[in-house]
Coordinates of all heavy atoms in Angstrom, one line a residue:
Y8 N 88.9 113.7 97.1 CA 90.0 112.9 97.7 C 91.3 113.6 97.6 O 91.6 114.1 96.5 CB 90.1 111.5 97.0 CG 91.2 110.7 97.4 CD1 91.1 109.9 98.5 CD2 92.5 110.8 96.8 CE1 92.2 109.1 99.0 CE2 93.6 110.0 97.3 CZ 93.4 109.2 98.3 OH 94.4 108.4 98.8
D9 N 92.0 113.7 98.7 CA 93.3 114.3 98.7 C 94.3 113.4 99.4 O 93.9 112.7 100.3 CB 93.3 115.7 99.5 CG 92.5 116.8 98.8 OD1 92.7 116.9 97.6 OD2 91.7 117.4 99.4
S10 N 95.5 113.4 98.9 CA 96.5 112.6 99.5 C 97.1 113.3 100.7 O 98.1 113.9 100.7 CB 97.7 112.3 98.5 OG 97.2 111.6 97.4
I11 N 96.3 113.3 101.8 CA 96.6 114.1 103.0 C 97.3 113.2 104.1 O 97.7 113.7 105.1 CB 95.4 114.8 103.6 CG1 94.3 113.8 104.0 CG2 94.8 115.8 102.7 CD1 94.3 113.5 105.4
G12 N 97.3 111.9 103.9 CA 97.8 111.0 104.9 C 99.3 111.2 105.3 O 99.6 111.0 106.4
G13 N 100.1 111.6 104.4 CA 101.5 111.8 104.6 C 102.3 110.5 104.2 O 103.5 110.5 104.4
S14 N 101.7 109.5 103.8 CA 102.3 108.2 103.4 C 101.3 107.4 102.5 O 100.1 107.6 102.6 CB 102.8 107.4 104.5 OG 101.7 106.8 105.2
V15 N 101.9 106.6 101.7 CA 101.0 105.8 100.8 C 100.1 104.9 101.7 O 98.9 104.8 101.4 CB 101.8 104.9 99.8 CG1 101.0 103.9 99.1 CG2 102.5 105.9 98.8
P16 N 100.5 104.2 102.7 CA 99.6 103.4 103.5 C 98.4 104.2 104.1 O 97.3 103.8 104.2 CB 100.4 102.7 104.6 CG 101.8 102.7 104.0 CD 101.9 104.0 103.2
L17 N 98.7 105.4 104.6 CA 97.6 106.2 105.2 C 96.7 106.7 104.1 O 95.5 106.8 104.3 CB 98.2 107.4 106.0 CG 99.0 107.0 107.2 CD1 99.5 108.3 108.0 CD2 98.3 106.1 108.1
D18 N 97.3 107.1 103.0 CA 96.4 107.4 101.8 C 95.5 106.3 101.4 O 94.4 106.5 101.0 CB 97.2 108.0 100.7 CG 97.8 109.4 100.9 OD1 97.2 110.1 101.8 OD2 98.8 109.7 100.3
L19 N 96.0 105.1 101.5 CA 95.2 103.9 101.2 C 94.0 103.8 102.2 O 92.9 103.6 101.7 CB 96.1 102.6 101.3 CG 95.3 101.3 101.1 CD1 94.7 101.2 99.7 CD2 96.2 100.1 101.4
V20 N 94.3 104.0 103.5 CA 93.2 104.0 104.5 C 92.2 105.0 104.1 O 91.0 104.8 104.2 CB 93.8 104.2 105.9 CG1 92.6 104.5 106.9 CG2 94.6 103.0 106.3
N21 N 92.6 106.2 103.6 CA 91.7 107.3 103.3 C 91.0 107.1 102.0 O 90.3 108.0 101.5 CB 92.5 108.6 103.3 CG 93.0 108.9 104.6 OD1 92.6 108.4 105.6 ND2 94.0 109.8 104.7
T22 N 91.1 105.9 101.3 CA 90.2 105.7 100.2 C 88.8 105.4 100.6 O 87.9 105.3 99.7 CB 90.8 104.6 99.2 OG1 90.9 103.4 100.0 CG2 92.1 105.0 98.7
V23 N 88.6 105.3 101.8 CA 87.2 105.2 102.4 C 86.8 106.6 102.9 O 87.5 107.0 103.9 CB 87.0 104.1 103.4 CG1 85.6 104.2 104.0 CG2 87.3 102.8 102.8
S24 N 85.9 107.3 102.3 CA 85.5 108.6 102.8 C 84.3 108.3 103.8 O 83.5 107.4 103.5 CB 85.0 109.5 101.7 OG 86.1 109.8 100.9
W25 N 84.2 109.1 104.8 CA 83.1 109.1 105.8 C 83.0 107.7 106.4 O 81.9 107.1 106.5 CB 81.7 109.5 105.2 CG 81.9 110.9 104.7 CD1 81.9 111.3 103.4 CD2 81.9 112.1 105.5 NE1 82.1 112.7 103.4 CE2 82.1 113.2 104.7 CE3 82.0 112.3 106.9 CZ2 82.2 114.5 105.2 CZ3 82.1 113.6 107.4 CH2 82.2 114.7 106.5
R26 N 84.1 107.1 106.7 CA 84.3 105.8 107.3 C 83.3 105.6 108.5 O 82.8 104.5 108.7 CB 85.7 105.5 107.7 CG 86.0 104.2 108.3 CD 87.4 104.0 108.6 NE 88.3 104.0 107.4 CZ 88.5 102.9 106.8 NH1 87.9 101.8 107.1 NH2 89.3 102.9 105.7
R27 N 83.2 106.6 109.4 CA 82.5 106.5 110.6 C 81.0 107.0 110.5 O 80.4 107.1 111.5 CB 83.2 107.2 111.7 CG 84.6 106.6 112.1 CD 85.2 107.2 113.3 NE 86.3 106.5 113.7 CZ 86.4 105.6 114.6 NH1 85.3 105.1 115.1 NH2 87.5 105.0 115.0
A28 N 80.6 107.2 109.2 CA 79.2 107.6 109.0 C 78.6 106.7 108.0 O 78.7 106.9 106.8 CB 79.1 109.1 108.5
P29 N 78.0 105.6 108.5 CA 77.6 104.5 107.6 C 76.7 105.0 106.4 O 76.8 104.4 105.3 CB 76.9 103.5 108.5 CG 77.4 103.8 109.8 CD 77.8 105.2 109.9
T30 N 75.9 105.9 106.6 CA 75.0 106.4 105.6 C 75.7 107.2 104.5 O 75.2 107.3 103.4 CB 73.8 107.2 106.1 OG1 74.3 108.4 106.8 CG2 72.9 106.4 107.1
R31 N 76.8 107.7 104.8 CA 77.6 108.5 103.8 C 78.8 107.8 103.3 O 79.5 108.3 102.5 CB 78.0 109.8 104.5 CG 76.9 110.7 104.9 CD 77.4 112.0 105.5 NE 78.1 112.9 104.5 CZ 78.7 114.0 104.8 NH1 78.8 114.4 106.1 NH2 79.3 114.7 103.9
R32 N 79.1 106.7 103.9 CA 80.4 105.9 103.6 C 80.5 105.8 102.1 O 79.6 105.4 101.4 CB 80.3 104.6 104.3 CG 81.7 103.8 104.1 CD 81.5 102.4 104.8 NE 82.6 101.6 104.4 CZ 83.6 101.3 105.2 NH1 83.6 101.8 106.5 NH2 84.6 100.5 104.8
N33 N 81.8 106.1 101.6 CA 82.1 105.9 100.2 C 83.4 105.3 100.0 O 84.5 105.8 100.3 CB 82.1 107.3 99.6 CG 82.5 107.3 98.1 OD1 82.4 106.3 97.4 ND2 83.0 108.4 97.6
D34 N 83.4 104.0 99.5 CA 84.6 103.3 99.2 C 85.0 103.6 97.8 O 84.4 103.2 96.8 CB 84.4 101.8 99.3 CG 85.7 101.0 99.2 OD1 86.7 101.5 98.7 OD2 85.6 99.8 99.5
R35 N 86.1 104.4 97.6 CA 86.6 104.8 96.3 C 87.3 103.7 95.5 O 87.5 103.8 94.3 CB 87.5 106.0 96.4 CG 86.7 107.2 96.9 CD 87.7 108.4 97.1 NE 87.0 109.5 97.8 CZ 86.4 110.5 97.2 NH1 86.3 110.5 95.9 NH2 85.8 111.4 98.0
L36 N 87.6 102.6 96.2 CA 88.2 101.4 95.5 C 87.1 100.5 95.1 O 87.0 99.3 95.6 CB 89.3 100.8 96.4 CG 90.4 101.6 96.8 CD1 91.4 100.8 97.6 CD2 91.1 102.3 95.5
S37 N 86.2 100.9 94.3 CA 85.0 100.1 94.0 C 85.3 99.1 92.9 O 84.5 98.1 92.8 CB 83.9 101.1 93.5 OG 84.3 101.9 92.4
D38 N 86.3 99.2 92.2 CA 86.7 98.2 91.2 C 88.2 98.3 90.9 O 88.8 99.2 91.3 CB 85.8 98.3 89.9 CG 86.0 99.7 89.2 OD1 87.2 100.1 88.9 OD2 85.0 100.3 88.9
P39 N 88.7 97.2 90.2 CA 90.2 97.2 89.9 C 90.7 98.5 89.2 O 91.8 98.9 89.5 CB 90.3 96.0 89.1 CG 89.2 95.1 89.5 CD 88.1 96.0 89.8
E40 N 89.9 99.0 88.3 CA 90.3 100.2 87.6 C 90.5 101.4 88.6 O 91.5 102.1 88.4 CB 89.3 100.6 86.5 CG 89.6 101.8 85.7 CD 90.8 101.7 84.9 OE1 91.2 100.6 84.5 OE2 91.5 102.7 84.6
R41 N 89.7 101.5 89.5 CA 89.8 102.6 90.5 C 91.1 102.4 91.3 O 91.8 103.4 91.7 CB 88.6 102.6 91.5 CG 87.3 102.9 90.8 CD 87.3 104.2 90.1 NE 85.9 104.4 89.7 CZ 85.6 105.2 88.6 NH1 86.5 105.8 88.0 NH2 84.4 105.3 88.3
L42 N 91.4 101.2 91.7 CA 92.7 100.9 92.4 C 93.9 101.3 91.5 O 94.8 101.9 92.0 CB 92.8 99.5 92.8 CG 94.0 99.0 93.6 CD1 94.3 100.0 94.8 CD2 93.9 97.6 94.0
S43 N 93.8 101.0 90.3 CA 94.9 101.3 89.3 C 95.0 102.8 89.2 O 96.2 103.4 89.2 CB 94.6 100.7 87.9 OG 95.7 101.0 87.1
E44 N 93.9 103.5 89.2 CA 94.0 105.0 89.2 C 94.6 105.6 90.5 O 95.4 106.5 90.4 CB 92.5 105.6 89.0 CG 91.9 105.3 87.7 CD 90.4 105.7 87.6 OE1 89.9 106.2 88.7 OE2 89.9 105.6 86.6
W45 N 94.2 105.0 91.6 CA 94.8 105.4 92.9 C 96.3 105.3 92.9 O 97.0 106.2 93.4 CB 94.1 104.7 94.0 CG 94.7 105.0 95.4 CD1 94.3 106.1 96.1 CD2 95.7 104.3 96.1 NE1 95.1 106.1 97.3 CE2 95.9 105.0 97.3 CE3 96.4 103.1 95.8 CZ2 96.9 104.6 98.2 CZ3 97.3 102.7 96.7 CH2 97.6 103.4 97.9
V46 N 96.8 104.2 92.4 CA 98.2 103.9 92.4 C 98.9 105.1 91.7 O 99.9 105.6 92.2 CB 98.6 102.6 91.8 CG1 100.1 102.4 91.5 CG2 98.1 101.4 92.7
V47 N 98.4 105.5 90.6 CA 98.9 106.6 89.9 C 98.8 108.0 90.7 O 99.7 108.7 90.8 CB 98.3 106.8 88.5 CG1 98.8 108.0 87.8 CG2 98.6 105.5 87.6
L48 N 97.6 108.1 91.2 CA 97.3 109.4 91.9 C 98.2 109.6 93.1 O 98.6 110.8 93.3 CB 95.8 109.3 92.5 CG 95.2 110.5 93.1 CD1 94.9 111.6 92.0 CD2 93.9 110.1 93.7
V49 N 98.6 108.6 93.8 CA 99.5 108.8 95.0 C 101.0 108.6 94.6 O 101.8 108.7 95.4 CB 99.1 107.9 96.2 CG1 97.8 108.2 96.7 CG2 99.3 106.4 95.8
G50 N 101.2 108.4 93.3 CA 102.6 108.3 92.8 C 103.3 107.0 93.3 O 104.6 107.0 93.5
A51 N 102.5 105.9 93.5 CA 103.2 104.7 94.1 C 103.7 103.8 93.0 O 104.5 102.9 93.2 CB 102.1 103.9 94.9
G52 N 103.2 104.0 91.7 CA 103.7 103.0 90.7 C 103.5 103.6 89.3 O 103.3 104.8 89.1
P53 N 103.6 102.7 88.4 CA 103.5 103.1 86.9 C 102.1 103.6 86.5 O 101.2 103.5 87.3 CB 103.8 101.8 86.2 CG 103.5 100.7 87.1 CD 103.7 101.2 88.5
D54 N 102.1 104.1 85.3 CA 100.9 104.7 84.8 C 99.7 103.8 84.8 O 98.5 104.2 84.8 CB 101.1 105.4 83.5 CG 101.9 106.6 83.6 OD1 102.0 107.2 84.7 OD2 102.4 107.1 82.5
R55 N 99.9 102.5 84.6 CA 98.8 101.6 84.4 C 99.2 100.2 84.9 O 100.2 99.7 84.5 CB 98.5 101.5 82.9 CG 97.4 100.5 82.6 CD 96.0 101.2 82.7 NE 95.0 100.3 82.2 CZ 94.1 99.7 83.0 NH1 94.1 100.0 84.3 NH2 93.3 98.9 82.6
L56 N 98.4 99.7 85.8 CA 98.6 98.4 86.3 C 97.3 97.6 86.0 O 96.2 98.1 86.3 CB 98.8 98.3 87.9 CG 100.2 98.8 88.4 CD1 100.1 98.8 89.9 CD2 101.3 97.8 87.9
E57 N 97.5 96.4 85.6 CA 96.4 95.4 85.4 C 96.1 94.8 86.7 O 97.0 94.2 87.3 CB 96.7 94.4 84.3 CG 96.6 94.8 82.9 CD 95.2 95.3 82.6 OE1 94.2 94.6 83.0 OE2 95.0 96.3 81.8
I58 N 95.0 95.1 87.3 CA 94.7 94.6 88.6 C 93.5 93.7 88.6 O 92.4 94.0 88.0 CB 94.4 95.8 89.6 CG1 95.7 96.6 89.7 CG2 93.9 95.4 90.9 CD1 95.6 97.9 90.5
S59 N 93.6 92.5 89.2 CA 92.5 91.6 89.2 C 91.6 91.9 90.4 O 91.9 92.6 91.3 CB 93.0 90.1 89.3 OG 93.7 90.0 90.6
E60 N 90.4 91.2 90.4 CA 89.5 91.3 91.6 C 90.1 90.8 92.8 O 89.9 91.3 93.9 CB 88.2 90.6 91.2 CG 87.3 91.2 90.3 CD 86.6 92.5 90.8 OE1 86.4 92.6 92.1 OE2 86.1 93.4 90.1
A61 N 90.9 89.7 92.7 CA 91.5 89.1 93.8 C 92.5 90.1 94.5 O 92.6 90.2 95.7 CB 92.3 87.8 93.5
V62 N 93.3 90.8 93.6 CA 94.2 91.8 94.1 C 93.5 92.9 94.8 O 93.9 93.4 95.9 CB 95.2 92.3 93.0 CG1 95.9 93.6 93.4 CG2 96.1 91.2 92.6
L63 N 92.4 93.4 94.2 CA 91.6 94.5 94.8 C 91.1 94.0 96.2 O 91.3 94.8 97.1 CB 90.4 94.8 93.9 CG 89.4 95.7 94.5 CD1 90.0 97.1 94.6 CD2 88.1 95.8 93.6
E64 N 90.6 92.8 96.3 CA 90.1 92.3 97.6 C 91.3 92.2 98.6 O 91.1 92.6 99.8 CB 89.4 91.0 97.4 CG 88.1 91.2 96.7 CD 87.1 92.3 97.3 OE1 86.9 92.3 98.5 OE2 86.6 93.1 96.4
S65 N 92.4 91.8 98.2 CA 93.6 91.7 99.1 C 94.0 93.1 99.6 O 94.3 93.3 100.7 CB 94.7 91.0 98.3 OG 95.8 90.9 99.1

Side-chain angles (χ1 to χ4, degrees):
Y8 175 84
D9 290 315
S10 297
I11 59 97
S14 69
V15 170
L17 296 183
D18 287 336
L19 175 63
V20 168
N21 294 343
T22 58
V23 175
S24 296
W25 300 107
R26 180 180 290 277
R27 293 187 174 269
T30 58
R31 295 179 72 184
R32 185 181 170 106
N33 177 20
D34 185 348
R35 293 177 190 270
L36 300 182
S37 55
D38 60 52
E40 179 64 28
R41 300 297 186 206
L42 178 54
S43 183
E44 291 172 359
W45 175 81
V46 169
V47 174
L48 189 68
V49 297
D54 288 344
R55 177 89 174 108
L56 284 176
E57 281 298 320
I58 295 175
S59 67
E60 285 288 336
V62 167
L63 173 65
E64 292 308 313
S65 180

